[in-house]
Amino acid sequence: MIAALFYNPLPLSFETQLWLLLPLCLGVAIVYKAVRTHDLRRLPREVGFLMGYMVAGLIVLCVLVWLVVRYWP
Amino acid sequence: MAVEKSEKRSMPLPYAALVLAWLVPGAGHVYVGRLGRGVVIFVTVSALFWAGVGIGGVLTVDYYSERWWFAAEMLTGIHGLVGWYRQKAVYNRLPQMRGASLDEKLKNANLALVAPGETVARAYAGVAGLLNLLCIFDALMLSVMGVTGEQPPPRAPSGAAAAGRARP
């Protein structure tokens, strides 16, 4: 079962694909902050803040692109 | 003199940090005495890479069709090498697979990447490699500067000291 999971691709729908952005952002935030933070005990807090910024940025970008697509003459 | 010698011996070697950080994500940080960071980096980079392979299957790491993604994936070191080995094993089995073209053979064997997952899978595995590049660079710089272990966090200046410093 596990061997098949890493052998055959998963059939993903478009909606599922979008949700997979969140773990990717989390991974980026964790590694970036693990390298940059001065105090490792503050890592979860700093990861949370960075994750929030990234998700907010993606939402703003998403709205901007939607506006361009919707109202571009 | 003896103290100087022992200090010289304990200095991390930049090349060792570079190779270790590439081969096993996070090992460069462990080498310069930052165990906690090394473990966090190893777990995260490994999880991202294998999540990508889990989503996209064995052909996520594909030397033949996606060279740039492949280069990024190889930055994960041992993970990328295992992924490449598995991909090569599939290509070696191609003559035994049924189908006229390469695409048809992979499709018949259920190995062809499924359209929406393809981008996500390669993004996961590739981003894992690029993040490890950041860690490789950090471990290399720490070893070049001779920094070992965790440094104490910078303290905020106290009121009196800050006022004294502000005086002309």
Side-chain angles (χ1 to χ4, degrees):
Chain A
M1 175 71 183
I2 292 172
L5 176 70
F6 289 97
Y7 208 72
N8 305 114
L10 292 178
L12 291 175
S13 64
F14 184 72
E15 290 78 20
T16 322
Q17 186 188 352
L18 275 180
W19 286 110
L20 285 170
L21 264 176
L22 292 178
L24 185 63
C25 287
L26 183 66
V28 171
I30 290 173
V31 174
Y32 180 74
K33 281 296 172 186
V35 169
R36 294 285 298 167
T37 188
H38 289 290
D39 188 1
L40 206 56
R41 282 171 297 183
R42 291 181 60 193
L43 183 69
R45 190 187 141 110
E46 292 193 11
V47 166
F49 278 123
L50 183 57
M51 178 84 183
Y53 280 127
M54 288 165 87
V55 171
L58 282 173
I59 290 170
V60 169
L61 202 64
C62 190
V63 170
L64 287 177
V65 171
W66 180 79
L67 287 173
V68 168
V69 170
R70 181 78 177 77
Y71 296 107
W72 194 260
Chain B
M1 195 69 171
V3 174
E4 272 177 27
K5 267 187 183 174
S6 69
E7 272 177 4
K8 270 184 186 171
R9 244 181 245 145
S10 67
M11 286 279 283
L13 301 170
Y15 290 117
L18 180 78
V19 172
L20 280 171
W22 170 72
L23 193 62
V24 182
H29 282 80
V30 174
Y31 177 64
V32 295
R34 299 187 164 195
L35 178 69
R37 291 170 203 263
V39 171
V40 169
I41 290 165
F42 177 78
V43 170
T44 314
V45 170
S46 310
L48 281 179
F49 180 84
W50 289 107
V53 176
I55 294 164
V58 69
L59 293 186
T60 305
V61 182
D62 197 349
Y63 172 73
Y64 298 102
S65 63
E66 294 289 342
R67 293 278 168 100
W68 284 108
W69 278 124
F70 177 79
E73 287 153 2
M74 279 303 111
L75 291 169
T76 54
I78 190 77
H79 302 296
L81 293 175
V82 170
W84 189 20
Y85 173 78
R86 293 174 80 232
Q87 180 256 348
K88 279 184 93 171
V90 167
Y91 274 89
N92 288 341
R93 280 199 351 244
L94 275 177
Q96 298 149 20
M97 292 180 188
R98 60 192 176 79
S101 65
L102 173 69
D103 286 343
E104 202 178 314
K105 283 179 177 188
L106 294 175
K107 211 169 259 181
N108 287 338
N110 285 329
L111 290 173
L113 280 171
V114 185
E118 183 178 1
T119 321
V120 180
R122 292 216 165 101
Y124 265 71
V127 166
L130 295 175
L131 287 172
N132 198 39
L133 180 64
L134 177 74
C135 300
I136 292 168
F137 184 73
D138 189 53
L140 180 67
M141 284 300 112
L142 288 171
S143 61
V144 165
M145 292 187 297
V147 178
T148 52
E150 291 288 347
Q151 302 299 304
R155 284 184 186 175
S158 64
R165 220 176 285 148
R167 270 183 219 143

